[in-house]
Amino acid sequence: EPFPPPPAGYPFPPYGGSYQPSQGSDDDWDDDWDDSSTVADEPGALGSSYPDYEAAGGGAPGRYRLSTRSEPSLGPRGAGHPPGHPHPPGGGGAAKSSATVSRNLNRFSTFVKSGGEAFVLGEASGFVKDGDKLCVVLGPRGPEWQENPYPFQCSIEDPTKQTKFKGMKSYIAYKLVPSHTGQQVHRRYKHFDWLYGRLAEKFPVISVPHLPEKQATGRFEEDFISKRRKGLAWWMDHMCSHPVLAQCDAFQHFLTCPSTDEKAWKQGKRKAEKDEMVGANFFLTISVPTGPGASLDLQEVESQVDGFKAFTKKMDESALQLNHTANEFARKQVTGFKKEYQKVGHSFKCLSQAFELDQQAFSAGLNQAIAFTAEAYDAIGDLFADQPRQDLDPVMDLLALYQGHLANFPDIIHVQKGALTKVKESKRHVEEGKMELQKAEGIQERCNIISFATLAEINHFHKIRVRDFKSQMQHFLQQQILFFQKVTQKLEEALHKYDSV
């Protein structure tokens, strides 16, 4: 099983959910789409960077580990090279470099598959159009992605069920309204799925947010649809907030191509699939600060990345813990608390019924007041059961999104670490007279580019994390306060019933 069953009695799955490439279900690729294979079609193409689930002891509803083993990462295309761009043959510079700086023989290593190694060794070459340039700038807290000059948002409105083939096949379509065009488009989950696969392959050192998990059964149920919509809304927010992802062609095509124009959709889709600036070539598109004071200190980069690695591990553990606790707490409110309060209500009701046997006119007010108290407790039980939807659920949705990011970072860190290792190796080779200084400097310069991009990504992650957790915690506490105000109000109403007794 990709992940353990949810704890009994509560409709939420444990957070996250491993990403599975499309295989049938509501999101069957249309026959007319199968003319070109895509990442999302290839089973297992999106292996490693997803959570490993294992049933853990301690009653946790499925414990999640970050997978830091070196495994096949994104993209089914061999060593991260765009089609038609194999490694240069042994002649020329490549032979010389392999004699001095060793190549990584594990071709499943993320460093190799992402194209990071080929880039650092100077094997990637291509013409980068101005529009493809991704700039890293020096901000107050170090390297940052250059802000999107035209920021926008995109709402995801309530999905509608649509049919095709004269009603033979039904699917759910979401209405997207990007603020920069104001034109609504309809997209199905499989379109999101396709886009995710493209971007995860294209951007080796950017954390592309994971989509909410697929579901084959019960996918037309209200609850599932609204939960998925909330997950997609978070996903969309993270896409629009990322300076690089928001401006990327495939994402813009996804947001702006009219739903009715099948031909334009396919053209954009093919163009994205033929994009050559993926893998090793992706790193060519990154432009970094130059000039005095702009080069990064290797030691410092290494300690920053190690610090971030320790941070993600701790954050992952605590997010898992919080998710487990919130899940349990929600389950108790929906079942336990509701039942307990209603039991109290029932007992008061029995007391008022007993008092009614007295038949004295002057005690009627008391009986009614006690019966009212019983109803108040009954109502408070219902309030408890409804509450998690308002406050705990949104927190768990956010944790699910962040768990996806945390699962992406081991691969990103691995690419950066691979580059650092090559620099250290080349320095050693220069000292031993096995390599020309110029070559080693080239390796260091290209490692510098990967470091700038990695640090910019880490910086972005922290910025967005502070924003998200601030607003989510505010929402949580506001909802909790409203809840207790409602409870207090019920109790005060019951109290006033005794005034006239």
Side-chain angles (χ1 to χ4, degrees):
E1 290 186 334
F3 47 84
Y10 204 60
F12 296 152
Y15 80 177
S18 56
Y19 174 88
Q20 293 167 307
S22 296
Q23 287 160 341
S25 90
D26 62 321
D27 304 314
D28 246 318
W29 290 88
D30 299 342
D31 308 332
D32 56 359
W33 273 35
D34 286 337
D35 49 5
S36 60
S37 152
T38 69
V39 176
D41 278 310
E42 311 213 5
L46 298 166
S48 82
S49 28
Y50 300 96
D52 284 353
Y53 279 93
E54 45 179 332
R63 194 48 75 76
Y64 156 87
R65 272 187 297 130
L66 269 187
S67 162
T68 41
R69 298 191 305 282
S70 207
E71 295 179 54
S73 180
L74 294 159
R77 296 203 170 128
H81 280 266
H85 285 250
H87 280 300
K96 248 187 291 178
S97 77
S98 53
T100 50
V101 175
S102 63
R103 298 195 65 91
N104 188 331
L105 295 176
N106 172 8
R107 58 193 189 81
F108 293 127
S109 132
T110 309
F111 183 44
V112 179
K113 289 200 66 146
S114 67
E117 182 181 72
F119 170 71
V120 170
L121 296 182
E123 291 167 8
S125 63
F127 174 69
V128 180
K129 301 194 293 288
D130 278 352
D132 286 336
K133 284 208 169 81
L134 307 173
C135 298
V136 177
V137 295
L138 280 173
R141 293 184 308 278
E144 293 179 356
W145 294 114
Q146 189 170 21
E147 281 300 314
N148 181 354
Y150 308 106
F152 64 92
Q153 280 130 7
C154 177
S155 66
I156 297 191
E157 321 250 325
D158 281 333
T160 50
K161 191 169 171 178
Q162 305 192 349
T163 58
K164 56 185 222 180
F165 303 135
K166 299 199 165 57
M168 297 278 283
K169 186 173 165 63
S170 36
Y171 56 89
I172 300 285
Y174 298 84
K175 184 166 91 183
L176 275 47
V177 188
S179 63
H180 60 320
T181 64
Q183 300 296 314
Q184 61 172 38
V185 295
H186 286 90
R187 295 287 181 256
R188 294 170 56 183
Y189 185 82
K190 70 168 187 191
H191 299 135
F192 284 90
D193 203 28
W194 167 79
L195 176 67
Y196 172 81
R198 295 301 328 130
L199 300 179
E201 186 184 31
K202 180 172 167 65
F203 296 116
V205 290
I206 289 175
S207 176
V208 181
H210 292 204
L211 289 165
E213 73 273 20
K214 288 180 67 61
Q215 173 159 331
T217 54
R219 60 179 193 273
F220 294 134
E221 286 164 18
E222 293 286 296
D223 251 13
F224 170 67
I225 292 171
S226 84
K227 188 166 167 38
R228 179 186 264 181
R229 189 188 70 82
K230 288 183 192 122
L232 288 174
W234 268 120
W235 180 86
M236 183 59 82
D237 174 73
H238 273 219
M239 291 294 296
C240 297
S241 307
H242 196 292
V244 176
L245 297 176
Q247 297 181 79
C248 126
D249 289 348
F251 183 49
Q252 284 297 330
H253 173 64
F254 172 84
L255 292 178
T256 57
C257 179
S259 320
T260 46
D261 194 341
E262 191 66 28
K263 194 170 161 214
W265 173 262
K266 277 191 188 167
Q267 274 171 345
K269 184 170 175 288
R270 286 220 183 86
K271 187 179 163 218
E273 282 158 11
K274 290 201 175 87
D275 182 2
E276 292 190 346
M277 291 300 152
V278 299
N281 288 0
F282 158 76
F283 295 106
L284 294 173
T285 62
I286 298 170
S287 84
V288 301
T290 50
S295 74
L296 297 169
D297 178 64
L298 283 187
Q299 243 71 48
E300 207 171 300
V301 171
E302 196 163 11
S303 79
Q304 275 180 294
V305 172
D306 285 342
F308 181 68
K309 193 175 173 179
F311 167 84
T312 52
K313 186 173 182 295
K314 202 80 192 133
M315 177 174 173
D316 192 62
E317 286 164 9
S318 59
L320 176 70
Q321 170 64 38
L322 174 57
N323 184 71
H324 178 62
T325 308
N327 214 343
E328 274 298 281
F329 190 43
R331 196 174 55 79
K332 284 177 181 153
Q333 289 183 56
V334 171
T335 52
F337 290 19
K338 175 179 172 170
K339 209 163 86 190
E340 295 304 317
Y341 272 86
Q342 295 185 340
K343 225 188 253 177
V344 173
H346 183 68
S347 305
F348 280 135
K349 196 169 180 217
C350 292
L351 182 69
S352 76
Q353 285 167 341
F355 281 1
E356 271 169 15
L357 294 176
D358 163 37
Q359 310 235 321
Q360 296 288 344
F362 69 86
S363 72
L366 175 69
N367 304 347
Q368 278 162 359
I370 295 177
F372 191 87
T373 306
E375 280 162 30
Y377 269 81
D378 212 46
I380 291 171
D382 285 331
L383 285 176
F384 268 106
D386 291 339
Q387 194 51 27
R389 272 220 296 278
Q390 319 303 325
D391 52 27
L392 290 166
D393 274 18
V395 169
M396 289 192 274
D397 287 340
L398 181 68
L399 291 173
L401 179 83
Y402 271 86
Q403 194 205 359
H405 281 303
L406 292 169
N408 288 340
F409 278 109
D411 277 354
I412 293 172
I413 290 169
H414 179 75
V415 171
Q416 208 277 331
K417 280 261 189 277
L420 281 177
T421 308
K422 291 284 177 252
V423 171
K424 290 176 187 167
E425 242 178 77
S426 67
K427 282 189 166 161
R428 206 171 58 242
H429 287 321
V430 168
E431 284 159 19
E432 296 165 0
K434 292 182 189 167
M435 183 188 265
E436 306 128 44
L437 184 63
Q438 200 187 351
K439 191 162 193 68
E441 281 171 351
I443 287 178
Q444 176 152 3
E445 205 175 298
R446 289 185 292 271
C447 170
N448 204 30
I449 289 177
I450 292 183
S451 298
F452 264 115
T454 308
L455 293 176
E457 188 56 20
I458 288 173
N459 228 329
H460 176 75
F461 176 78
H462 284 314
K463 199 166 106 188
I464 224 89
R465 172 181 62 83
V466 170
R467 179 202 75 171
D468 288 348
F469 279 87
K470 171 189 169 177
S471 73
Q472 206 52 75
M473 290 307 295
Q474 284 173 323
H475 175 84
F476 175 75
L477 292 169
Q478 283 156 353
Q479 291 299 321
Q480 281 275 291
I481 289 165
L482 280 174
F483 168 69
F484 284 107
Q485 282 170 343
K486 282 188 225 160
V487 172
T488 311
Q489 196 188 343
K490 292 270 175 224
L491 296 173
E492 279 173 348
E493 279 172 17
L495 177 61
H496 287 313
K497 293 289 177 199
Y498 294 88
D499 293 349
S500 55
V501 171

